[in-house]
Amino acid sequence: MGNFYAHIYPGSIFIAFGFWWFLNTLRTYYKQGYHKHQNAFVPLVEPGVKIVVCVVGSLVECNSAHWLLFGPNGEGEKANDWQHFTMYNLFAVTGILDIMSHKYGELTRQVSHLSYSVAFFLESSLFFLHLHNRTILDTQCHMLLFYSGVGAALALLVVLAKPGSLIATLFYQSLVILHGAWFCEAGFILLSPFQDSVWESDNGHHAMLAAVFFVWTYVFIVMLMGGISIIFYQSSSHIGRSIRGSRANGVELATLLDSDS
C-alpha cells in the first residue's frame, strides 16, 4: 500500500521496539546490581505485541491488494503491497521464535537473534528490489532504507558473535531506530499529507538533501541515546549510593544494639 500511512505505521513500530530494547538494555546494565528481579510478563508481551502489529499490517496490505497476486489481465501492479506483506511476516516469525526462546532455552534464543538479522537482510533486499520505475528522490529514499536495514542485520550478527558487547548492542538498536525514523521521514518526503510539500521527485539536489537529512537523523538518534544513557547512569549511581548508605547505617545500628546488650 504505497501511501503516507503505509510508511508511518511500520516506521513507528521500528522506533517503538528500538527504544524499548534500548531502555531495557540500559536498565539491565546499570541497575542489575540493585534490581535483580525481572518483570515476568515482559518476555511474552513483547513478542505477542510484535506478532499482533505485524498481522494487522499484513491484513491491511492483503486488503489493499484485494487478496490477489495478479490482476484480471495478469498484471502485477499489486507487487508493492505483497512486498510490504512479506516484510510484516518476516518480523512476525521473529516474534514466534522469541516465544520459543523463552520456553526452550539458550540455543533457541540464539536462533531468535539470528532470525532478526535474517529478517532485516531480507526486508532490505525487498527495498533494493523495490525500485522499478522509481524517480530519483524515491530511489534515494529506498536505498537509504536499504542501508539502515543491512546495517542493522550486520550489527545483529556482531551481537550474536559477542553477546556481552554493550557497544554492539547499542549500535544495532540505534540502527533499528534509524530504520524506523527514516521510514516515517520517507513518508513525509515522498507522500506528504500536506499540499505545500517542497520535495520534487525528479530533482537530484532534493535527493542529495534527503541523504543529508538521513545523516542528521542518525546523529540526533545517537545524541538522544547518549543523553538517556547519562540519565540512567546518574540515577543508578544515586540508587547505588543510597543502598550502600542504608547498609552502612544498618551495620552501625546493629553494632550499637550489640554493645548495649
Side-chain angles (χ1 to χ4, degrees):
M1 185 170 62
N3 60 36
F4 174 74
Y5 299 104
H7 290 77
I8 297 299
Y9 181 71
S12 300
I13 293 172
F14 283 120
I15 293 173
F17 275 99
F19 271 111
W20 169 252
W21 294 330
F22 168 60
L23 294 176
N24 273 311
T25 297
L26 293 183
R27 179 180 62 84
T28 302
Y29 182 77
Y30 286 122
K31 299 185 178 182
Q32 189 174 18
Y34 311 122
H35 301 284
K36 293 186 178 180
H37 65 278
Q38 293 183 352
N39 206 335
F41 77 89
V42 170
L44 292 179
V45 167
E46 179 186 316
V49 171
K50 189 188 307 176
I51 292 171
V52 169
V53 296
C54 288
V55 168
V56 170
S58 297
L59 292 176
V60 170
E61 296 296 341
C62 287
N63 184 67
S64 176
H66 306 293
W67 302 85
L68 296 172
L69 286 173
F70 299 96
N73 297 320
E75 64 273 14
E77 74 275 6
K78 297 299 182 181
N80 182 63
D81 298 326
W82 288 110
Q83 285 194 327
H84 287 188
F85 166 85
T86 304
M87 174 191 71
Y88 285 118
N89 281 278
L90 288 171
F91 289 99
V93 171
T94 67
I96 296 172
L97 291 175
D98 279 346
I99 295 175
M100 293 176 63
S101 70
H102 290 290
K103 184 175 182 181
Y104 296 109
E106 184 61 29
L107 178 61
T108 313
R109 187 173 295 113
Q110 293 177 359
V111 173
S112 175
H113 279 72
L114 180 61
S115 72
Y116 280 101
S117 179
V118 172
F120 273 108
F121 178 76
L122 292 177
E123 181 224 15
S124 300
S125 299
L126 288 175
F127 286 129
F128 186 76
L129 302 171
H130 195 68
L131 305 177
H132 183 63
N133 290 333
R134 300 279 179 171
T135 63
I136 296 174
L137 183 61
D138 201 344
T139 300
Q140 179 80 300
C141 288
H142 281 86
M143 286 304 299
L144 293 172
L145 276 175
F146 168 77
Y147 296 143
S148 61
V150 169
L154 295 176
L156 277 161
L157 290 179
V158 176
V159 172
L160 188 63
K162 297 183 177 181
S165 174
L166 177 65
I167 297 301
T169 300
L170 296 181
F171 180 53
Y172 103 76
Q173 291 165 354
S174 70
L175 290 175
V176 172
I177 297 170
L178 173 65
H179 196 60
W182 190 249
F183 242 119
C184 296
E185 290 182 61
F188 279 100
I189 292 173
L190 301 175
L191 302 160
S192 176
F194 307 111
Q195 297 296 326
D196 55 348
S197 176
V198 298
W199 294 96
E200 297 176 4
S201 59
D202 289 313
N203 190 319
H205 295 289
H206 286 195
M208 294 169 63
L209 281 176
V212 171
F213 285 176
F214 178 81
V215 174
W216 286 357
T217 300
Y218 188 59
V219 171
F220 174 77
I221 290 169
V222 171
M223 292 175 63
L224 180 61
M225 292 175 69
I228 295 173
S229 299
I230 292 173
I231 293 173
F232 264 79
Y233 173 76
Q234 294 293 339
S235 62
S236 64
S237 299
H238 176 72
I239 292 173
R241 288 193 297 267
S242 299
I243 291 176
R244 288 191 293 270
S246 299
R247 289 175 178 173
N249 293 333
V251 171
E252 292 176 359
L253 179 60
T255 304
L256 289 174
L257 292 176
D258 290 340
S259 62
D260 290 341
S261 61

